[in-house]
């Protein structure tokens, strides 16, 4: 068996000749022997990305218990059990289980849906293998997971690179690396025979890092190295042969997926719902001790009031919060998946979408299709000239045909498509003679055709990079300066520019070579731009309509990014290059990000830094990206989003996956998120107002009365009735006004509103208390008092549900009506005496109606003046 190192370090890769590298890998130009490949597969493992298993349903269920509010409810259930309040403990336990089950089912279903989108980086690869040392190497297709270090791989147009390769041979090879770098233009790749020059000072540190960690990640500039092809890139044009240097977890593609230690962030959902929860938790923990101490001090009661104290704490608790939040978000996520093919992998991410006020986008693959189209064809004076397109298309067609290339590259396809639309059907029909295909070193291609109506003459049609074509044209200094200036203007406008030149020669009796590419006459320039995504303009318009600011963060050229934005109706303003961020602190980056729209030439970490800076300034940020270079920003945002064409690791990292090729689905997701947020905000305001009022009144009455104002069983039944009615909130439909702007739950504003409504509710309760003292006779005072207050509490809760609701639909009014009837009839039913309640005197009801009328009037007046203080 041939020896091979465990890993090839980046330093070793850059300083070795191809022959030295092959020796280090224990391989050769003829590839590996089958037995050696099998042995290496056992040694190195399969060439797959680190496994990301979908968590099982029980695991997801247990994770949902980490919600702080759910954990406190579980503690309250335990305390209730310890004081023998079994009914209370059972009800709370059921609510905890239902909430966790709903959340686990929704997230598990989303995980399975996202897993169904996973694709391997490539399905098969063409490798050279031999049956034994003396056998002739045979190209064969093997599954990509069977590729091992030392394999010699052949690449053709359209192939996905199966592992990190060092090129041995290449012909006109260019690679799409947008998934890794964000650069939309194909990158030339060719072998380098000589090792890299000695490293500059500071390389000793890099060498030390290599020794400490042989898998030390390549720097960003290594993506520009022409001799290395990276897993996750694809062949745009040409062909090549390379030797595999890294597979599986050792590839640059896999290492990019390792999370940063600061990646898991506190999201908008955590800051809002959890913020409210923790404030309530503090009140809940303080309430039982306060009740016990006050009862002991004023009434001489001891631990017999502990069940009542626990019941009061439970009464303050919005027990249905986890259930309402989970049901609301799960319903929204299910509807999005069913109607708009949006997969919400993490349920709180739907709430975060509703709160998003800034969406950061990667350009390539999201706003653009990574497919060039013709923008202009100009003569040397800058005037539109279809003859320039004609000759450029002649070059593309006959280079493809005569050089026997497997397929045209993207630029040639764009020129041929434009010629088909704008030129006569027979415009490209020539008697072709020869072709010199594109070479990344000389950066041009040449097609030789018979000159029409000139027997014995050939026309050389040359197309390529402006600088390289101009070098072969005998131009005056002024002519060259004008041509360069025109090319620079087009490039600054975001176009990829190619020069087209001709030369007429007598027919040669020998093969044409690159030496014949001289004495050319410049015909003109063609400019190509990235085709925009079909739904991108509509998506950006929808985001603007929703009050969401858009920031474009791209690794592409500033002019290219600005042009794409203008075509989509987004004003790019002054484009900021990411290099200008290096001298700024985080506050400076945030200020610049607030006032700028487009950031170009961004590295992955610079994208993440901009996103973090926006969040630190109080924005709720979403990031939409599709490549490995977008992973840090996806993790740094409040909610990470990716389109369907995203690379596998981006889909794994994102919180939301747009499974349809329609960016307007992002608008539908934001609307669904705002609807869920509005429902949760309305539920919190209504429930907490009612609960706080009841607790204030109960504590006051408990200190003034010689008996408990309500028995623990009565508190439990009241809570059960109100909790059951609250389920209607999960099915409420928010009004259109609630969906127009980003919706954020700010704990302080919510609690300020709740306090005002709670005090008003407590005033109604205490007024009822005074009525009961006057109306109830001494013979049945305690049981009648309990019944009267029970009825009033459910009636006021029904009023609050109707008057403070922010949605529409008949569910809540009907449910509130049922709740009111329950409050009126339950004390009169056979169940009333069983829980310590007696029938009330008739004189009580007119007085109760008066109290409720005054309360409803005051509540309506305050509601109209308040105008939804809990949202913004």
């Amino acid at each position: 068996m041939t020896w091979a190192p465990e890993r090839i370090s980046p330093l070793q890769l850059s300083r070795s000749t191809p022959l030295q590298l092959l020796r280090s890998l224990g391989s050769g130009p003829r590839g590996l022997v089958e037995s050696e490949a099998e042995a290496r597969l056992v040694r190195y493992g399969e060439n797959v990305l680190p496994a990301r298993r979908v968590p099982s349903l029980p695991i997801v269920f247990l994770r949902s218990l980490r919600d702080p509010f759910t954990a406190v409810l579980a503690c309250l259930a335990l305390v209730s059990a310890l004081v023998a309040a079994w009914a209370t403990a059972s009800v709370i336990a059921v609510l905890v289980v239902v909430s966790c089950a709903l959340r686990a089912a929704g997230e598990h279903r989303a995980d399975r849906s996202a897993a169904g989108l996973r694709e391997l980086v490539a399905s098969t690869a063409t490798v050279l293998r031999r049956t034994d040392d003396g056998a002739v190497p045979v190209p064969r297709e093997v599954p990509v997971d069977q590729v091992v270090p030392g394999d010699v791989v052949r690449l053709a147009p359209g192939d996905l690179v199966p592992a990190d390769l060092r090129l041995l041979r290449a012909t006109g090879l260019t690679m799409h690396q947008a998934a890794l770098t964000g650069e939309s233009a194909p990158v030339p790749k060719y072998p380098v025979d000589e090792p890299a020059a000695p490293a500059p000072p500071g390389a000793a540190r890099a060498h030390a890092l290599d020794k400490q960690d042989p898998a030390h990640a390549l720097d960003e500039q290594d993506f520009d190295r022409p001799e290395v092809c990276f897993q996750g890139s694809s062949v745009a044009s040409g062909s090549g042969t390379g030797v595999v240097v890294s597979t599986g977890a050792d590839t640059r593609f896999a290492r990019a997926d390792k999370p940063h230690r600061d990646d898991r962030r506190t999201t908008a959902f955590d800051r809002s719902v959890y913020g409210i929860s923790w404030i309530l938790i503090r009140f809940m923990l303080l309430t039982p001790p306060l009740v016990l101490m006050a009862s002991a001090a004023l009434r001489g009661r001891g631990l017999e009031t502990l069940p009542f104290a626990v019941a009061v704490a439970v009464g303050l608790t919005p027990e249905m919060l986890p259930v309402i939040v989970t049901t609301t978000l799960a319903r929204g996520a299910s509807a999005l998946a069913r109607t708009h093919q949006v997969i919400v992998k993490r349920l709180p991410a739907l709430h975060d979408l509703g709160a998003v006020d800034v969406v950061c986008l990667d350009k390539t693959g999201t706003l653009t299709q990574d497919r060039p189209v013709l923008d202009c064809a100009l003569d040397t004076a800058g005037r539109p000239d279809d003859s320039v397109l004609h000759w450029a298309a002649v070059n593309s067609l006959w280079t493809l045909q005569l050089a026997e290339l497997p397929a045209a590259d993207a630029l040639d396809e764009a020129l041929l498509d434009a010629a088909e639309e704008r030129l006569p059907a027979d415009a490209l029909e020539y008697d072709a003679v020869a072709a010199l295909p594109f070479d990344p070193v000389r950066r041009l291609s040449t097609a030789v055709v018979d000159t029409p109506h000139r027997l014995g003459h050939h026309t050389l049609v040359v197309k390529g990079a402006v600088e390289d074509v101009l070098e072969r044209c005998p131009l005056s200094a002024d002519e060259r300066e004008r041509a360069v200036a025109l090319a620079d203007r087009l490039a600054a406008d975001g176009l990829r520019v190619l020069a087209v030149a001709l030369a007429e020669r007598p027919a040669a009796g020998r093969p044409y070579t690159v030496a014949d590419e001289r004495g050319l006459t410049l015909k003109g320039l063609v400019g190509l731009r990235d085709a925009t995504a079909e739904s991108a303009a509509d998506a950006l318009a929808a985001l603007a309509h929703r009050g969401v600011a858009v920031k474009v963060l791209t690794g592409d050229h500033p002019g290219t990014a600005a042009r794409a934005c203008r075509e989509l109706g987004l004003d790019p303003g002054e484009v900021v290059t990411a290099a200008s961020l290096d001298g700024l602190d985080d506050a400076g980056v945030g200020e610049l990000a607030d006032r700028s729209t487009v950031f170009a030439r961004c590295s992955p970490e610079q994208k993440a830094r901009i996103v973090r800076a926006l969040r630190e300034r109080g924005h709720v940020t979403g990031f939409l990206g599709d490549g490995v270079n977008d992973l840090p920003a996806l993790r740094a945002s409040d909610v990470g989003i990716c389109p369907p064409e995203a690379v596998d690791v981006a889909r794994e990292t994102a919180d939301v996956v747009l499974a349809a090729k329609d960016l307007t689905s992002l608008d539908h997701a934001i609307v669904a998120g705002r609807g869920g947020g509005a429902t949760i905000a309305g539920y919190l305001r209504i429930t907490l107002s009612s609960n706080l009022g009841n607790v204030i009144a109960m504590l006051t009455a408990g200190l003034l009365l010689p008996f408990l104002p309500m028995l623990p069983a009565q508190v439990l039944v009241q809570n059960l009735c109100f909790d059951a009615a609250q389920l209607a909130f999960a099915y409420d439909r928010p009004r259109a006004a609630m969906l127009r702007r980003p919706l954020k739950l700010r704990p302080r504003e919510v609690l300020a509103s709740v306090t005002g409504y709670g005090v008003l509710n407590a005033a109604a309760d205490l007024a009822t208390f005074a009525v009961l003292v006057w109306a109830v006779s001494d013979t049945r005072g305690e049981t009648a008092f309990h019944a009267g207050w029970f009825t009033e509490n459910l009636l006021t809760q029904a009023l609050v549900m109707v008057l403070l609701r922010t949605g529409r639909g008949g569910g809540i009014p009907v449910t509130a009506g049922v709740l009111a009837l329950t409050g009126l009839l339950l004390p009169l039913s056979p169940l009333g005496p069983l829980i310590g309640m007696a029938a009330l005197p008739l004189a009580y009801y007119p007085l109760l109606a008066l109290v409720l009328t005054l309360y409803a009037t005051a509540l309506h007046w305050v509601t109209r003046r308040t105008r939804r203080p809990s949202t913004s």
Side-chain angles (χ1 to χ4, degrees):
M1 183 183 297
T2 309
W3 177 87
E6 282 295 332
R7 293 183 177 92
I8 297 295
S9 72
L11 194 65
Q12 185 179 0
L13 180 63
S14 65
R15 293 189 177 181
S16 300
T17 65
L19 182 59
Q20 290 170 337
L21 187 62
L22 286 168
R23 287 175 178 171
S24 298
L25 290 165
S27 184
R30 299 193 303 157
L32 296 175
V33 177
E34 288 287 358
S35 59
E36 173 65 15
E38 292 173 2
R40 292 189 181 197
L41 184 62
V42 174
R43 179 180 182 183
Y44 294 107
E46 292 186 341
N47 177 37
V48 294
L49 295 176
R52 287 175 174 263
R53 296 180 180 177
V54 176
S56 65
L57 193 57
I59 295 298
V60 179
F61 180 88
L62 292 175
R63 286 179 182 173
S64 63
L65 290 172
R66 295 182 298 185
D67 180 294
F69 204 82
T70 302
V72 169
L73 283 179
C75 292
L76 281 176
L78 180 61
V79 171
S80 299
L82 291 176
V83 298
W86 300 109
T88 302
S90 300
V91 170
I92 296 176
V94 168
L95 293 175
V96 169
V97 171
V98 169
S99 171
C100 292
L102 286 171
R103 182 168 180 174
E107 295 192 2
H108 183 68
R109 183 167 55 248
D111 282 338
R112 290 178 63 87
S113 299
L117 295 175
R118 294 192 63 184
E119 299 171 355
L120 285 173
V121 177
S123 56
T124 62
T126 304
V127 300
L128 293 181
R129 295 274 178 88
R130 296 171 289 151
T131 56
D132 55 57
D133 287 333
V136 176
V138 177
R140 54 169 296 194
E141 294 285 322
V142 300
V144 70
D145 58 8
Q146 306 297 304
V147 173
V148 297
D151 259 328
V152 174
V153 176
R154 287 185 174 177
L155 299 174
D159 283 353
L160 293 169
V161 179
D164 289 351
L165 310 175
R166 169 74 177 268
L167 285 175
L168 304 176
R169 294 182 297 279
T171 301
L173 183 64
T174 61
M175 307 293 298
H176 284 301
Q177 294 187 158
L180 300 168
T181 65
E183 181 70 50
S184 59
V187 179
K189 295 288 184 179
Y190 48 88
V192 174
D193 293 329
E194 297 297 326
R205 179 178 178 274
H207 185 55
L209 285 171
D210 277 333
K211 287 184 176 180
Q212 296 169 12
D213 179 10
H216 179 54
L218 296 170
D219 293 330
E220 293 301 323
Q221 60 265 31
D222 288 321
F223 285 122
D224 296 328
R225 291 171 55 186
E227 76 277 15
V228 182
C229 298
F230 297 94
Q231 183 187 48
S233 56
S234 61
V235 179
S237 63
S239 59
T241 302
V243 60
V244 175
V245 295
S246 299
T247 59
D250 293 332
T251 62
R252 183 69 176 83
F253 187 83
R255 289 198 295 270
D257 189 34
K258 291 182 179 179
H260 190 273
R261 63 179 180 273
D262 296 329
D263 282 339
R264 267 308 130 198
R265 69 285 187 199
T266 301
T267 66
F269 183 82
D270 302 328
R271 294 191 298 270
S272 57
V273 175
Y274 287 4
I276 294 170
S277 299
W278 280 115
I279 294 173
L280 290 174
I281 287 166
R282 295 187 184 99
F283 279 113
M284 288 160 48
L285 295 176
L286 287 173
T287 298
L290 287 176
V291 172
L292 289 173
M293 288 187 294
S295 296
L298 297 179
R299 292 293 177 183
R301 298 170 185 151
L303 290 178
E304 66 271 14
T305 59
L306 181 58
F308 175 72
V310 172
V312 171
V314 173
L316 180 63
T317 307
E319 302 101 318
M320 296 297 290
L321 178 61
V323 177
I324 297 295
V325 169
T326 304
T327 303
T328 300
L329 297 182
R331 289 185 69 248
S334 177
L336 281 174
R338 185 174 61 255
T339 59
H340 301 294
Q341 293 184 276
V342 176
I343 297 172
V344 180
K345 295 169 56 183
R346 184 177 60 84
L347 284 184
L350 185 59
H351 167 274
D352 294 338
L353 277 172
V356 161
D357 59 356
V358 176
V359 168
C360 300
L361 304 167
D362 177 41
K363 179 189 74 70
T364 307
T366 53
L367 297 181
T368 62
Q369 301 181 42
D370 197 18
R371 177 178 65 84
V373 294
L374 181 72
D375 184 82
C376 62
L378 308 176
D379 63 16
T380 55
R383 297 184 296 264
D385 187 349
D386 277 354
S387 68
V388 178
L389 169 61
H390 166 261
W391 289 115
V394 167
N395 173 281
S396 297
L397 175 64
W398 293 110
T399 301
L400 174 66
Q401 297 289 338
L402 296 182
E404 297 183 351
L405 298 176
D409 71 7
L411 297 179
D412 285 333
E413 285 181 347
L415 292 170
L416 293 173
D417 288 344
E420 184 177 355
E421 293 178 4
R422 295 167 55 171
L423 302 178
D426 59 350
L428 307 184
E429 293 182 3
Y430 284 85
D431 292 327
V433 177
L436 302 174
F438 178 83
D439 183 339
V441 176
R442 81 183 204 284
R443 301 199 300 169
L444 48 82
S445 61
T446 298
V448 183
V449 298
D450 282 339
T451 304
H453 314 301
R454 294 270 293 170
L455 188 63
H457 285 74
H458 293 162
T459 299
L460 279 71
V461 186
V462 180
K463 169 174 62 66
V466 175
E467 300 86 346
D468 297 274
V469 173
L470 292 181
E471 284 180 3
R472 292 161 173 81
C473 297
L475 300 173
S476 66
D478 288 343
E479 290 172 330
R480 182 178 300 276
E481 184 177 345
R482 285 197 299 270
V484 170
L486 176 60
D488 288 344
R489 285 200 303 273
L490 295 177
D493 198 28
L495 300 179
R496 300 183 212 172
V497 186
L498 299 175
V500 181
L502 306 177
E504 186 178 325
R505 306 278 170 76
R510 56 175 178 75
Y512 284 91
T513 67
V514 295
D516 295 303
E517 297 170 335
R518 54 181 173 76
L520 306 176
T521 300
L522 183 64
K523 185 68 177 173
L525 306 176
V526 291
L528 300 104
R529 56 180 172 81
D530 285 341
T532 56
E534 293 181 1
S535 58
D538 291 339
L540 292 179
L543 289 174
H545 178 69
R546 300 289 177 196
V548 178
V550 173
K551 312 289 182 183
V552 178
L553 315 181
T554 179
D556 221 333
H557 186 278
T560 303
R563 184 181 188 89
C565 291
R566 286 193 295 269
E567 289 179 358
L568 294 170
L570 178 65
D571 182 8
E574 183 179 350
V575 179
V576 178
T577 56
S580 61
L581 304 178
D582 295 338
L584 299 177
D585 58 14
D586 290 342
V589 172
E591 184 178 346
L592 183 62
D594 245 346
R595 67 172 185 264
S596 304
T597 300
V598 180
F599 293 81
R601 297 298 189 194
C602 291
S603 69
E605 281 305 321
Q606 287 169 328
K607 290 183 180 181
R609 188 185 180 198
I610 293 169
V611 171
R612 283 193 290 265
L614 287 168
R615 292 183 68 224
E616 288 170 2
R617 289 180 68 85
H619 295 289
V620 179
T621 61
F623 184 87
L624 175 62
D626 69 335
V628 176
N629 61 315
D630 298 319
L631 294 181
L634 284 169
R635 295 185 180 115
S637 61
D638 286 285
V639 52
I641 313 159
C642 72
E645 300 85 359
V647 297
D648 187 63
V649 290
R651 286 198 300 269
E652 295 286 359
T653 302
D655 302 305
V656 176
V657 180
L658 309 179
K661 294 184 177 181
D662 184 356
L663 285 180
T664 56
S665 59
L666 178 58
D667 176 59
H668 297 301
I670 287 176
V671 170
R674 291 181 184 178
T679 298
I680 295 168
Y683 163 77
L684 282 171
R685 182 171 57 173
I686 291 170
T687 302
L688 293 179
S689 299
S690 179
N691 288 1
L692 180 61
N694 288 341
V695 167
I696 293 173
M698 265 198 284
L699 290 176
T700 304
L703 296 177
L704 297 177
L705 292 174
F707 52 84
L708 293 177
M710 289 186 75
L711 299 178
Q714 295 163 356
V715 175
L716 173 62
V717 173
Q718 175 185 290
N719 286 343
L720 279 176
C721 293
F722 193 31
D723 289 346
Q726 289 169 19
L727 281 174
F729 286 107
Y731 299 88
D732 203 25
R733 291 174 295 165
R735 299 182 187 276
M738 304 291 295
L739 309 178
R740 292 172 185 163
R741 311 299 297 175
L743 190 148
K744 301 176 186 176
L745 286 173
R746 293 189 172 95
R748 292 184 182 276
E749 293 181 2
V750 170
L751 293 174
S753 172
V754 164
T755 301
Y757 287 120
V759 170
L760 188 60
N761 184 278
D765 285 348
L766 293 176
T768 304
F769 167 67
V771 169
L772 285 168
V773 170
W774 175 83
V776 174
S777 65
D778 294 335
T779 56
R780 49 180 182 174
E782 185 172 341
T783 54
F785 188 96
H786 291 160
W789 206 346
F790 180 90
T791 298
E792 187 269 347
N793 276 336
L794 290 189
L795 290 175
T796 55
Q797 286 169 343
L799 280 175
V800 167
M801 288 181 64
V802 173
L803 295 179
L804 294 188
R805 63 187 295 236
T806 57
R808 52 194 170 88
I812 287 181
V814 171
T815 305
V818 173
L819 182 65
L821 283 175
T822 302
L824 289 170
L825 299 178
L826 189 87
L828 305 177
S829 72
L831 183 61
L834 294 178
I835 58 175
M837 292 190 294
L840 289 158
L842 294 178
Y844 168 71
Y845 291 102
L847 294 173
L848 176 61
L850 177 62
V851 170
L852 293 176
T853 301
L854 293 174
Y855 172 61
T857 303
L859 192 62
H860 181 68
W861 181 79
V862 172
T863 301
R864 293 189 62 180
R865 291 182 60 86
T866 304
R867 293 187 179 181
R868 297 181 294 120
S870 60
T871 63
S872 68

